[in-house]
Every structure is written in structure tokens, then in C-alpha cells.
Amino acid sequence: MLLSLGTRPRLAFVGLGWIGRARMKALAEEGLAEIVTLTDPDASAVAAALDLAPDARPAATLREALDEAPDGVVIATPSALHAAETIQALSAGCAVFCQKPLGRSAAEVREVVAAAEAADRLLGVDLSYRLTAAMQAIRPLVANGDLGRIYAVDLTFHNAYGPDKPWFYDRALSGGGCVPDLGVHLVDLALWSLGWPEIEAVEAHLLAGGRPARPDEVEDYAVATLRTASGCVIRLACSWKLQAGRDAVIEARFHGTEGGAALANIGGSFHDFAAHRHRGTRAEPLAAPPDDWGGRALLDWTHRLAAGGRFDPEARHLVILHEVLDRIHAAGTRMPGTG
């Protein structure tokens, strides 16, 4: 059932680890929704979430949470569960906001988007870097042609740490390593900013422990080159546990015939970003911290849910994004003993 305009959505939160609770905190502070039920197998995570939403009712399973008839479900469970849980919630008539990646493959994502369209329900994914002040300043320059023709994009996301959950390192459960974990954000920024161009060619190298990754392994270092049909070259480098001399290196640099623009993290931070426009040797500031962007994608989804919550055709681009990630994995993984 679609909401009446102005109604505060009733939400279920499924998955209450640090990212789920962080998103819940941002939502609770804004008061945009009523959090009605909480689900996680870890009782301590549920207890911590109840501090943020004391009126919510714990539920043992997603099925039990759906019995509360929420308007929307916020999913922050392990990646292997994302597609099935999202489809289950959509089939129950709920809108869904899911952590990335939406699925372990483009095939899974295609099924999810089809389910959202069939149910006519709003589907959102936490591709939150889009809503940083830095990227909000850069994208119009790219989309409006202020930088001329974009002929190259350089994307970097190196993390000096690795995930702390074992499932991240199981290809069957995660769908891959640093590419779907980190690279997904930056590939999304490039394709979204460029208007979802056709990708004509993909080359990639995936490493695990400093050697070529086997098909059954997750990559901890990846480099990929994408070429669009118009000739723009997109270069991606991402990694876990890189000895980079700081916590993280996160950058998205757009190079055009009439200028450039760049997003870059500050001092190794995972949260603080600056944006600059480049004219020759000059760099003009576009955005700088502080910028509390972490919960912004969920807040945007909640506003749209309160405004009706119907299927947004933009969700079809999620399939394109994951098709590109699949092509990176296909191009970069080789069998042992092959060239």
C-alpha cells in the first residue's frame, strides 16, 4: 500500500551492525520515520539499537518483521542475503533501502530490480558517496559540459584495513572482494556522473595476497580500465590492507577538454572530502568539510517514501553498475597456469 502524502513511514531495520545502527541514528535524529521493528541474530546489537529506537519491537526474522506491516525495510545484513531479503520485502509490499552491494552478481540485481518494478515499490541502495557535498559540486560540472568533453576518469579507493567479518573473504557469500566492497562506490560515481554511458571494453587485473587471484578467491587488490563507446577511459584502483601510509586513499578525478574536477579524502580520512575544480595549474575549491553525509542517502530515500514511494526507473541503472562489476571480475580472474 502506498503512503498518503505527509505520512511518516513506518520502518523495519534488518541487520544492526555498526553500519545499520549508524544509518538508524541519522534517521532517528531527523525524526522522519517511525522505527517499528528491529531484527538481528546478535542480541547485543538489538539492545544497542533499542537505545536509538526504544519504542521498536524486536523481531526474530525478516518474516516476523514484515508481520508488522512496515512501509519500508532498511537492510544492512551480509551481502549474500541482500537480494533474497530485498525481494522478500518487496513482495510483501514494502519499499526497500539496502546496503551495497545490492547483489553478488548482475543476475541477482536484475531479479531485485524486476521485483521492485513489479511491486511498484521504491528501491534504494546506499551508494552514499553520491550525496557528499564534494560530489554534489562536481557532478553538475561533468553533466552540464562545464569541463568540456570528459575523456578520462581516475578512481582510487585504497583501504589500509580489511573487513573484520569472515564472510567477506568467501567468494560465494560476498560475490568478490575489494571491487564490490569499495570499487562499487567509485564506479557508480563515474557512470552516474557521465550519464550511464555504454562500456565498450573492460581490462582488469585482480590480485589476492600479492599474486593473481584464483576464480574461487576474493581479490584484495584490483586495477581495471573501462572504455566507453565515446572513448572516455575510466581507470579504477582499489584494495584492502594496502600499506599506503594512511588509513585510506579515496579519489575521483574527472579530466575534460576544458578543465578538470576532483574529489579527494583529507588526511587519510574515510569521511572528510574536499572537491576542487582544475583550470590548468590552478585548483579552485568547490567543497570542504565539515559535511555530515553518512546518512544522507537513507534520509533522501525516506523523504521519497513519504512522498509516495513508487518504483523509480533510475533503479534500472543498478543492473548496469553490477554488469560492469561482473565484467571486471570476468576480465581479471584467470585459472592457475593460464596466461
Side-chain angles (χ1 to χ4, degrees):
M1 181 180 294
L2 299 177
L3 277 72
S4 301
L5 292 179
T7 302
R8 276 206 320 160
R10 302 173 68 255
L11 300 182
F13 273 74
V14 180
L16 301 169
W18 75 266
I19 190 83
R21 295 200 304 274
R23 299 302 182 251
M24 181 187 297
K25 182 175 185 292
L27 189 67
E29 288 175 349
E30 293 294 326
L32 297 177
E34 180 185 357
I35 300 171
V36 295
T37 186
L38 308 170
T39 302
D40 195 287
D42 183 346
S44 64
V46 175
L50 283 169
D51 289 338
L52 299 170
D55 295 329
R57 186 181 74 82
T61 64
L62 172 58
R63 178 67 268 168
E64 187 178 324
L66 293 173
D67 288 342
E68 293 290 316
D71 301 303
V73 179
V74 180
I75 295 174
T77 53
S79 296
L81 304 177
H82 287 179
E85 289 180 338
T86 299
I87 291 172
Q88 183 179 356
L90 290 166
S91 299
C94 298
V96 174
F97 182 85
C98 187
Q99 276 304 310
K100 58 77 191 167
L102 181 57
R104 293 166 293 178
S105 66
E108 283 193 342
V109 173
R110 198 174 293 113
E111 290 180 1
V112 174
V113 173
E117 189 163 7
D120 194 19
R121 304 304 294 134
L122 183 66
L123 172 63
V125 176
D126 198 2
L127 295 166
S128 48
Y129 288 74
R130 290 185 184 187
L131 295 179
T132 59
M135 204 61 219
Q136 288 290 302
I138 290 173
R139 191 198 185 210
L141 300 179
V142 174
N144 297 337
D146 293 352
L147 305 179
R149 179 177 58 83
I150 302 298
Y151 59 85
V153 182
D154 293 329
L155 309 170
T156 307
F157 199 147
H158 295 310
N159 186 340
Y161 312 98
D164 60 357
K165 300 292 192 300
W167 63 263
F168 276 96
Y169 301 93
D170 184 331
R171 181 70 178 264
L173 298 178
S174 63
C178 59
V179 171
D181 183 39
L182 306 178
V184 59
H185 280 298
L186 298 186
V187 174
D188 174 70
L189 288 186
L191 300 181
W192 172 68
S193 297
L194 295 172
W196 299 99
E198 178 186 353
I199 301 299
E200 194 172 73
V202 176
E203 297 178 4
H205 297 276
L206 307 181
L207 305 183
R211 53 168 175 72
R214 298 190 307 268
D216 61 337
E217 289 182 306
V218 299
E219 71 283 354
D220 57 25
Y221 183 90
V223 292
T225 301
L226 319 176
R227 188 177 72 248
T228 73
S230 67
C232 179
V233 175
I234 302 169
R235 299 188 301 172
L236 168 71
C238 62
S239 66
W240 291 334
K241 302 179 182 178
L242 188 76
Q243 299 185 48
R246 48 182 164 160
D247 289 343
V249 181
I250 307 171
E251 298 178 347
R253 298 180 177 273
F254 296 83
H255 308 292
T257 55
E258 304 299 326
L263 167 151
N265 67 323
I266 297 173
S269 173
F270 288 98
H271 308 289
D272 294 333
F273 295 96
H276 290 84
R277 178 172 179 165
H278 299 158
R279 302 178 193 265
T281 59
R282 290 183 295 124
E284 303 168 1
L286 297 172
D291 178 30
D292 187 14
W293 55 271
R296 206 167 278 161
L298 175 57
L299 299 180
D300 176 70
W301 174 86
T302 305
H303 278 295
R304 290 190 290 146
L305 178 56
R310 291 185 179 276
F311 177 73
D312 182 351
E314 285 292 313
R316 296 175 188 142
H317 290 140
L318 295 166
V319 178
I320 296 173
L321 171 62
H322 282 268
E323 287 174 342
V324 172
L325 300 186
D326 280 2
R327 291 174 69 182
I328 290 172
H329 276 134
T333 305
R334 64 175 179 81
M335 295 296 293
T338 62

